[in-house]
Amino acid sequence: GHPHVKVMTEERELTVMLVVDASASGRFGSGARYKSELVAELGAVLAHAAIKNNDRVGLLIFTDEVELFVRPQKGRKHVLRVIREILCHEPTRRGTNIARALDYLNQVVKRRAVVFVISDFMDEDYETALRMTRRKHDTIAVAIDDPRELTLPDVGVIAVQDSETGETGIVDTHRAALRRDYAEDARIRLETRRALMERLRVDLITLEVEEDYVRALHRFFRMRERRMLA
């Protein structure tokens, strides 16, 4: 297990950092809710859980730049402010740069923290920054996926737009080969992400937008407790 986690549980008081992705790919969604809504909701739930334990909670909201940083503090009023910031933040930019966000975090948060990185992880080149974060902090990746991004429906010719670059194109979804390639690309992306987290020994929680995330979180923390006691 992780000896430092046991120590932290004994002193009961944690510093929890929520690193929240507000980039435009989170606006993808054809279902009841967007990934970005789930990201915000999840952040709020994790912050709220910290009130009970009297943990310090901090927040970093990022796109391709750090949009907001709230230093970790204790107290109900502070945590409620963090929740409000998460739910009300209007991002000024559309891109994603996970590495930049984590580099910033690594510089400003000195005390060991439990860091939740909540994102769809649709980004490249963040491995080094994540490895540094993992060295300093107890790091948990919360990956939000939309199942509809994993396959293309067969609906004929559609216009598609890249949410982050704004580029548009025309795609003929009738073509079986295209649908197959798309699904294969998505599968590889998820597999690469899973392998990366495993290699860095970063805990990974994957959630789908339609899923009951409270149940999924409970499952994860139960599994984690068992591992600590082992």
Side-chain angles (χ1 to χ4, degrees):
H2 295 316
H4 70 262
V5 180
K6 274 203 195 87
V7 172
M8 280 172 24
T9 353
E10 276 149 27
E11 57 183 31
R12 276 317 293 170
E13 209 177 86
L14 300 178
T15 299
V16 176
M17 270 307 302
L18 303 172
V19 180
V20 175
D21 180 351
S23 66
S25 63
R27 296 279 181 277
F28 179 95
S30 36
R33 55 174 163 188
Y34 289 139
K35 281 188 300 195
S36 53
E37 288 169 18
L38 181 57
V39 164
E41 248 171 75
L42 250 166
V45 166
L46 290 168
H48 198 264
I51 293 180
K52 278 204 305 288
N53 305 329
N54 203 20
D55 296 332
R56 278 180 206 81
V57 182
L59 171 67
L60 192 160
I61 296 181
F62 72 96
T63 47
D64 49 9
E65 289 185 352
V66 172
E67 296 227 345
L68 178 75
F69 174 69
V70 178
R71 208 165 274 295
Q73 282 177 40
K74 279 201 302 208
R76 191 185 172 80
K77 220 172 108 184
H78 171 78
V79 177
L80 292 174
R81 178 195 156 201
V82 164
I83 292 173
R84 199 170 56 241
E85 295 284 10
I86 296 173
L87 296 175
C88 301
H89 181 79
E90 289 291 336
T92 54
R93 299 171 66 90
R94 301 173 71 86
T96 314
N97 193 326
I98 295 173
R100 182 171 286 173
L102 293 177
D103 285 340
Y104 184 88
L105 174 85
N106 295 339
Q107 279 162 15
V108 293
V109 179
K110 297 292 183 229
R111 158 187 295 210
R112 186 174 193 93
V114 179
V115 174
F116 288 94
V117 185
I118 311 174
S119 174
D120 60 10
F121 291 93
M122 287 195 176
D123 189 17
E124 320 266 299
D125 304 326
Y126 56 86
E127 179 170 353
T128 313
L130 189 55
R131 182 181 281 111
M132 290 299 299
T133 307
R134 164 73 183 76
R135 259 188 221 141
K136 292 177 68 162
H137 303 292
D138 189 1
T139 309
I140 300 157
V142 186
I144 311 279
D145 296 316
D146 191 319
R148 283 167 298 257
E149 285 179 310
L150 306 180
T151 54
L152 267 184
D154 182 355
V155 289
V157 174
I158 56 169
V160 292
Q161 179 178 33
D162 184 310
S163 56
E164 296 196 355
T165 62
E167 280 174 27
T168 52
I170 298 291
V171 171
D172 181 3
T173 62
H174 268 333
R175 291 175 44 221
L178 179 86
R179 292 201 308 278
R180 208 168 44 239
D181 286 349
Y182 185 90
E184 180 60 10
D185 282 349
R187 198 190 58 74
I188 290 169
R189 192 173 71 237
L190 295 189
E191 183 45 45
T192 308
R193 182 180 73 192
R194 195 197 55 74
L196 169 70
M197 299 306 175
E198 206 164 272
R199 188 164 70 245
L200 298 183
R201 297 208 312 286
V202 166
D203 280 328
L204 174 64
I205 308 179
T206 38
L207 296 176
E208 292 190 347
V209 275
E210 303 299 322
E211 192 181 355
D212 173 3
Y213 59 86
V214 176
R215 219 170 41 241
L217 281 177
H218 277 305
R219 205 166 54 228
F220 169 76
F221 285 114
R222 267 205 311 278
M223 179 272 296
R224 215 158 181 247
E225 255 161 48
R226 277 203 302 277
R227 207 175 59 204
M228 281 169 207
L229 299 170

